C-alpha cells in the first residue's frame, strides 16, 4: 500500500496541507536561522529533539531550517503557523511566538516516531516529508484540567503532563489545587493550609460507597515548584490556570482554620469522602480578607489572565442557620442565601478584576455567576447557551463528553470510575463546543472546550494517563480542527498512537 500523505499522520488535523515531492534530512551539520524573537521556539526544538537525535541544531546566518516571526501574517492569529518543507530547506513562520511553538510540535510529529524517544536512537534517518501547511486553530480555548487536590501528583509529573498537552496543541492547563480532600498550594500568611489541609487520613482509591482503603494521603507544592511549572509550560505555549475553590469545596481549608467557617468552634478533618460536602466558608469580613490574601499570592505565582475560583456545588444549609450569614443577607438586601452565593462570588471577582485578571467559575445552570465571569458550563449544553446569552464568555465542558474520570466503556473489566455515565472516544470526538441552536451572538461567546480529570479514582500517573489517552487526542482534534469525520480521526489516531507509545504513555488500548 502507498504511504499516507504527510498530513494524514498529524493530530490535530491541520487546516490546510499539500504534499510535495521529496524529503528533507536533518544531519549533525543542520543549522537554524532564527529571526528576532523566535529564539524560544528554536530552543524548544533543540530541547525536544536532542534526547533521541543528538542533533545540535546550532544557530547560523545561513541555516537551512528557518524559524521566523512575521507580525504581518495577520491571518494566522496568535497560534497559527505556516510550514514549508522542501528538499533543501525548512521554513516555519508565524505572527506570534506561540504560533512557532505550535509549529515545532508539528515538525516533531512529521519526523520518524523514534524522534519522541527519551534516549539516543541509533541508525535513524531524521527525515521530514516535503509538505506545505497552513494551520490555525478553530477555538482559542483548548484546555485540560487535572485535579491534584483529591490525589497529589509530584511536580515532575505535572511537567510531563504539560509536555503531553503541548504535543496535542492544548493551550490551557487548568490546575485544580484545592478541594474538600486537600489543599496543595502554600500561602505564606496561612501555613496551616498545607501543613494540615494538605494531608488526610485515607486515600480515596478503590472506594465503593463509603468504604475507603485507610491509607493516609498528602502532599503540597512549594512556591518554587509552581513557579517553575508555570515557566516550563510557557516555554511550550501552555498557560497554567490555577483553581482555588470557594465558597464551597473548602473542607481542607476549614480543617486548618475553623474560624473561617460558619461554626468557628467546630473541629473538622480533611474530608475522606467524595461528593458535595456541606461545610462552606462563612461570609464575615475575615473570610473575605482570607480569600483576598490567598488570591493575591496565587496571582503572584500564576501570571495566567484567567483565575478559576470554583463557585459551584455550594450547599446553603450552614448559611440558612448562621446568624452572621443571615445578617449579611439583610445588610446587603440580598433576599436570601441564593443571593448570598452570588454576592460572595461578586466580591471575589472584584479582587481579580481590579488586578487585571478574569475570574472563571463552574456553572450549574449558566445563570448564577456574576457579570464579568467566564463560565465553565458542565451540566448541560443549554447552560452554555444561557450563559452566553447573558454576555458571559463560555468554555463548554459538558460532562458527558469531557469528563475523563468516567469509564471509557461499559465493561465489567473497566477500572473503577465515576458512576452514572460512560464517556467513550466517540463521545469526545463528537462534542461540538458550540451547542446546537446557538445564534451568532452566543456562538461568538464560546471560547472552546476542555477535558476534566477528577481524581477520586486515579491516584497514580499510570492511572491518569490510562484515563486521559486516547480520549484527550479526540478533544484536541475537535478543539483545534473543528468537526472532522470519525474515519479521518480514527486513521490519524491509529498513526498517532505509536508516538504515545514512544513517550511511554500508559494509554488505554
Amino acid at each position: 500500500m502507498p504511504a499516507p500523505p504527510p498530513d494524514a499522520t498529524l493530530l490535530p488535523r491541520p487546516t490546510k496541507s499539500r504534499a510535495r515531492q521529496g524529503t528533507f534530512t536533518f544531519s549533525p551539520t543542520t543549522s537554524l536561522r532564527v529571526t528576532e524573537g523566535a529564539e524560544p521556539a528554536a530552543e524548544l526544538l533543540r530541547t525536544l529533539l536532542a534526547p533521541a537525535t543528538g542533533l545540535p541544531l546550532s544557530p547560523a546566518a545561513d541555516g537551512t531550517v528557518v524559524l521566523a516571526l512575521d507580525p504581518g501574517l495577520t491571518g494566522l492569529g496568535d497560534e497559527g503557523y505556516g510550514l514549508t518543507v522542501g528538499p533543501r530547506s525548512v521554513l516555519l513562520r508565524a505572527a506570534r511566538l506561540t504560533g512557532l511553538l505550535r509549529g515545532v510540535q508539528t515538525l516533531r510529529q512529521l519526523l520518524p516516531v523514534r524522534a519522541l524517544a527519551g534516549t539516543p536512537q541509533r541508525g535513524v534517518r531524521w527525515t521530514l516529508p516535503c509538505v506545505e501547511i497552513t494551520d490555525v486553530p478553530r477555538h482559542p480555548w483548548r484546555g485540560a484540567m487535572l485535579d491534584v487536590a483529591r490525589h497529589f501528583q509530584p511536580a515532575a509529573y505535572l511537567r510531563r503532563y504539560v509536555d503531553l498537552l503541548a504535543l496535542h496543541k492544548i493551550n490551557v492547563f487548568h490546575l485544580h489545587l484545592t478541594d474538600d480532600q486537600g489543599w496543595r498550594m502554600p500561602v505564606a500568611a496561612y501555613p496551616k493550609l498545607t501543613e494540615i489541609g494538605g494531608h488526610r487520613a485515607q486515600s480515596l482509591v478503590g472506594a465503593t460507597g463509603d468504604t475507603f482503603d485507610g491509607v493516609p494521603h498528602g502532599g503540597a507544592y512549594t512556591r518554587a515548584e509552581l513557579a517553575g511549572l508555570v515557566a516550563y509550560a510557557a516555554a511550550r505555549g501552555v498557560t497554567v490556570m490555577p483553581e482555588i475553590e470557594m465558597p464551597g469545596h473548602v473542607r481542607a481549608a476549614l480543617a486548618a482554620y475553623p474560624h473561617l467557617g460558619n461554626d468557628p468552634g467546630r473541629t473538622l478533618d480533611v474530608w475522606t469522602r467524595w461528593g458535595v460536602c456541606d461545610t462552606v466558608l462563612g461570609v464575615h469580613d475575615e473570610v473575605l480578607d482570607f480569600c483576598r490574601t490567598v488570591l493575591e499570592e496565587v496571582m503572584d505565582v500564576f501570571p495566567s489572565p484567567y483565575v478559576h475560583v470554583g463557585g459551584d456545588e455550594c450547599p446553603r444549609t450552614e448559611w440558612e442557620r448562621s446568624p452572621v450569614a443571615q445578617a449579611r443577607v439583610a445588610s446587603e438586601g440580598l433576599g436570601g442565601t441564593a443571593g448570598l452565593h452570588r454576592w460572595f462570588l461578586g466580591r471575589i471577582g472584584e479582587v481579580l478584576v481590579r488586578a487585571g485578571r478574569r475570574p472563571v467559575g463552574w456553572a450549574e445552570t449558566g445563570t448564577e455567576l456574576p457579570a464579568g465571569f467566564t463560565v465553565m458550563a458542565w451540566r448541560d449544553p443549554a447552560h452554555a447557551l444561557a450563559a452566553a446569552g447573558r454576555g458571559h464568555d463560555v468554555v463548554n465542558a459538558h460532562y458527558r463528553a469531557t469528563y475523563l474520570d468516567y469509564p471509557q466503556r461499559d465493561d465489567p473489566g473497566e477500572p473503577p470510575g465515576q458512576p452514572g455515565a460512560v464517556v467513550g472516544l466517540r463521545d469526545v470526538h463528537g462534542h461540538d463546543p458550540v451547542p446546537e441552536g446557538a445564534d451568532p451572538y452566543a456562538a461568538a461567546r464560546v471560547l472552546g472546550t476542555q477535558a476534566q480529570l477528577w481524581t477520586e479514582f486515579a491516584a497514580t500517573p499510570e492511572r491518569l494517563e490510562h484515563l486521559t489517552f486516547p480520549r484527550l487526542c479526540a478533544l484536541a482534534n475537535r478543539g483545534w480542527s473543528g468537526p472532522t469525520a470519525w474515519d479521518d480521526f480514527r486513521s490519524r489516531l491509529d498513526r498517532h498512537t505509536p508516538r504515545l507509545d514512544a513517550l511511554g504513555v500508559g494509554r488505554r488500548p
Side-chain angles (χ1 to χ4, degrees), residues 208-483:
T208 302
D210 290 333
T211 304
F212 299 88
D213 67 3
V215 177
H217 181 81
Y221 304 105
T222 66
R223 182 183 174 108
E225 284 177 327
L226 293 173
L229 174 68
V230 167
Y232 187 90
R236 287 148 181 80
V238 177
T239 297
V240 183
M241 178 182 68
E243 180 180 358
I244 305 295
E245 286 268 13
M246 56 185 74
H249 287 284
V250 291
R251 175 72 170 255
L254 296 180
Y257 295 99
H259 68 280
L260 298 173
N262 295 281
D263 186 356
R266 179 175 49 182
T267 300
L268 296 169
D269 58 355
V270 177
W271 220 34
T272 57
R273 302 184 182 186
W274 60 75
V276 179
C277 182
D278 63 0
T279 50
V280 303
L281 289 174
V283 293
H284 41 296
D285 289 344
E286 190 173 1
V287 171
L288 299 176
D289 291 340
F290 163 80
C291 293
R292 185 180 305 109
T293 299
V294 169
L295 289 175
E296 286 172 352
E297 187 148 345
V298 166
M299 289 187 284
D300 282 344
V301 174
F302 296 93
S304 165
Y306 295 90
V307 176
H308 206 302
V309 295
D312 71 338
E313 296 182 330
C314 179
R316 302 195 297 270
T317 308
E318 291 189 341
W319 288 346
E320 294 285 356
R321 60 175 183 251
S322 164
V324 174
Q326 292 302 317
R328 182 71 79 178
V329 168
S331 67
E332 299 291 339
L334 301 175
T337 54
L340 190 57
H341 177 261
R342 186 181 181 86
W343 171 86
F344 187 102
L345 289 175
R347 294 292 298 273
I348 296 306
E350 289 171 2
V351 172
L352 297 172
V353 171
R354 283 197 298 269
R357 307 298 182 93
R358 302 175 192 174
V360 185
W362 299 107
E364 294 178 83
T365 68
T367 61
E368 71 272 25
L369 293 176
F373 268 70
T374 294
V375 169
M376 284 197 166
W378 62 273
R379 280 192 164 179
D380 193 294
H383 298 163
L385 287 180
R390 296 180 69 243
H392 293 281
D393 287 342
V394 177
V395 177
N396 191 337
H398 185 212
Y399 78 102
R400 295 302 300 267
T402 70
Y403 274 40
L404 305 186
D405 50 320
Y406 283 102
Q408 301 177 67
R409 59 181 178 176
D410 186 8
D411 188 312
E414 185 78 2
Q418 293 285 5
V422 170
V423 176
L425 190 64
R426 274 186 181 268
D427 298 316
V428 183
H429 170 266
H431 173 58
D432 192 340
V434 179
E436 185 177 354
D439 60 39
Y441 174 83
R445 287 287 186 180
V446 178
L447 301 179
T449 189
Q450 178 175 288
Q452 280 62 239
L453 184 48
W454 307 103
T455 58
E456 290 95 333
F457 293 88
T460 65
E462 294 77 16
R463 182 80 178 108
L464 295 177
E465 292 185 4
H466 181 90
L467 289 167
T468 302
F469 294 100
R471 289 185 290 184
L472 189 69
C473 302
L475 183 132
N477 192 66
R478 186 69 192 232
W480 181 280
S481 310

Side-chain angles (χ1 to χ4, degrees), residues 3 12 30-31 38 69-70 78 81 100 138 154 159 179 233 257 267 302 307 319 400 411 447 471 475 478 496-497:
T30 299
S31 56
L69 274 181
D70 182 355
D78 290 339
Y81 63 92
L100 291 180
R138 178 70 169 267
R159 293 192 295 272
D179 216 297
Y257 295 99
T267 300
F302 296 93
V307 176
W319 288 346
R400 295 302 300 267
D411 188 312
L447 301 179
R471 289 185 290 184
L475 183 132
R478 186 69 192 232
H496 183 68
T497 48

Side-chain angles (χ1 to χ4, degrees), residues 3-10 19:
D7 80 294
T9 72
L10 297 175

Side-chain angles (χ1 to χ4, degrees), residues 31-182:
S31 56
L32 305 183
R33 178 156 59 93
V34 184
T35 70
E36 183 178 357
E39 183 54 43
E43 186 58 31
L44 179 62
L45 184 65
R46 296 185 190 103
T47 298
L48 293 175
L49 297 189
T53 70
L55 294 169
L57 300 178
S58 302
D62 60 349
T64 53
V65 177
V66 181
L67 279 68
L69 274 181
D70 182 355
L73 299 171
T74 54
L76 296 178
D78 290 339
E79 295 186 85
Y81 63 92
L83 175 63
T84 302
V85 180
R88 296 179 179 82
S89 64
V90 175
L91 173 61
L92 175 61
R93 298 193 302 162
R96 301 285 185 271
L97 174 60
T98 305
L100 291 180
L101 300 179
R102 303 287 177 253
V104 164
Q105 298 293 346
T106 297
L107 283 171
R108 195 180 178 203
Q109 289 194 17
L110 287 170
L111 284 164
V113 168
R114 288 167 65 185
L116 281 78
T119 56
Q121 304 292 299
R122 309 298 183 192
V124 181
R125 283 177 55 84
W126 303 115
T127 59
L128 293 172
C130 291
V131 67
E132 293 180 7
I133 293 173
T134 301
D135 207 5
V136 181
R138 178 70 169 267
H139 297 286
W141 189 299
R142 306 172 310 282
M145 188 222 74
L146 181 60
D147 165 23
V148 294
R150 273 54 176 260
H151 281 105
F152 177 77
Q153 302 299 327
Y157 183 70
L158 299 187
R159 293 192 295 272
R160 171 175 168 82
Y161 208 74
V162 164
D163 278 326
L164 294 174
L165 300 185
L167 175 66
H168 295 88
K169 300 184 173 69
I170 296 291
N171 63 349
V172 178
F173 180 27
H174 175 175
L175 190 59
H176 184 84
L177 286 161
T178 72
D179 216 297
D180 295 312
Q181 298 87 356

